């Protein structure tokens, strides 16, 4: 099943950009698979410049929950913050294997990232994670956080849903 992109605050990418977005989103999903294989939560993020140069790549933190802020998006942003200014980040795209949570969406806003493309949406992810088992979740889509930002943030997703689901199958305990 492949959902149509949903956008907030701006229009969807042009046809040529859609193929490049799928390619880069697959890289974020590959990071999610790598995270799972290493015993971490199955999330991945890739940040690129407008020409497609990879600026940062990261996966989610340990499944033991020792650092509740070690989400893939934040890990990628942390590696960029000291090196790149907001003028560069405003032109960058963050690709996330799953919809950024409210915390990550806030970090994306504050970082200056101008564009986000994600795979698995929160509603589908919740089917895997459940609502119990020590999971602390906020029911706030990233678009709601982005809508409060002082500047527009392009948000495209969900995309490549079947591929983005794969790292989560069998990982979460309901």
């Amino acid at each position: 099943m492949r959902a149509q992109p949903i956008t907030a605050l701006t229009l969807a990418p042009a046809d040529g950009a859609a193929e490049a977005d799928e390619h880069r989103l697959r890289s974020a999903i590959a990071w999610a698979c790598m995270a799972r294989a290493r015993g971490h939560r199955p999330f991945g993020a890739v940040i690129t410049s407008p020409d497609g140069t990879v600026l940062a790549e990261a996966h989610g933190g340990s499944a033991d929950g020792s650092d509740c802020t070690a989400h893939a998006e934040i890990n990628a942003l942390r590696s960029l913050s000291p090196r790149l200014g907001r003028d560069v980040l405003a032109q960058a795209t963050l690709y996330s294997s799953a919809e950024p949570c409210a915390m990550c969406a806030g970090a994306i806003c504050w970082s200056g990232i101008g564009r986000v493309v994600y795979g698995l949406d929160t509603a589908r992810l919740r089917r895997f994670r459940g609502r119990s088992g020590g999971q602390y979740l906020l029911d706030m889509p990233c678009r709601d956080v982005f809508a409060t930002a002082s500047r527009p943030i392009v948000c495209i997703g969900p995309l490549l849903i079947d591929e983005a689901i794969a790292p989560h199958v069998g990982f979460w305990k309901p």
Side-chain angles (χ1 to χ4, degrees):
M1 171 169 113
R2 184 159 182 251
Q4 292 298 316
I6 303 167
T7 61
L9 309 176
T10 61
L11 299 174
D15 291 335
E19 187 174 315
D21 283 341
E22 288 182 1
H23 173 74
R24 294 175 188 134
L25 182 55
R26 284 187 175 100
S27 293
I29 294 167
W31 274 90
C33 292
M34 182 188 329
R36 180 177 176 164
R38 294 179 177 176
H40 300 296
R41 292 180 176 155
F43 297 97
V46 175
I47 301 173
T48 66
S49 67
D51 69 1
T53 300
V54 174
L55 302 173
E57 299 174 298
H59 58 66
S62 177
D64 70 6
S66 58
D67 181 354
C68 65
T69 66
H71 293 197
E73 300 91 337
I74 290 179
N75 290 342
L77 288 169
R78 281 183 179 137
S79 71
L80 287 180
S81 294
R83 296 188 290 127
L84 300 175
R86 288 187 178 208
D87 56 327
V88 174
L89 294 177
Q91 302 302 313
T93 299
L94 186 147
Y95 295 90
S96 182
S97 62
E99 182 175 358
C101 70
M103 176 183 69
C104 291
I108 290 164
C109 290
W110 292 314
S111 75
I113 293 280
R115 189 167 179 269
V116 174
V117 177
Y118 67 86
L120 184 60
D121 58 283
T122 301
R124 287 181 182 92
L125 177 59
R126 204 173 280 292
R127 292 181 199 146
F128 289 101
R129 293 183 72 168
R131 292 187 179 267
S132 61
Q135 298 294 321
Y136 299 105
L137 305 171
L138 291 173
D139 279 325
M140 181 178 290
C142 66
R143 283 181 174 75
D144 290 353
V145 176
F146 296 156
T148 66
S150 61
R151 61 182 172 69
I153 299 172
V154 177
C155 185
I156 301 167
L159 295 174
L160 305 176
I161 295 168
D162 288 341
E163 293 174 49
I165 285 173
H168 297 275
V169 174
F171 179 82
W172 301 100
K173 309 220 182 338

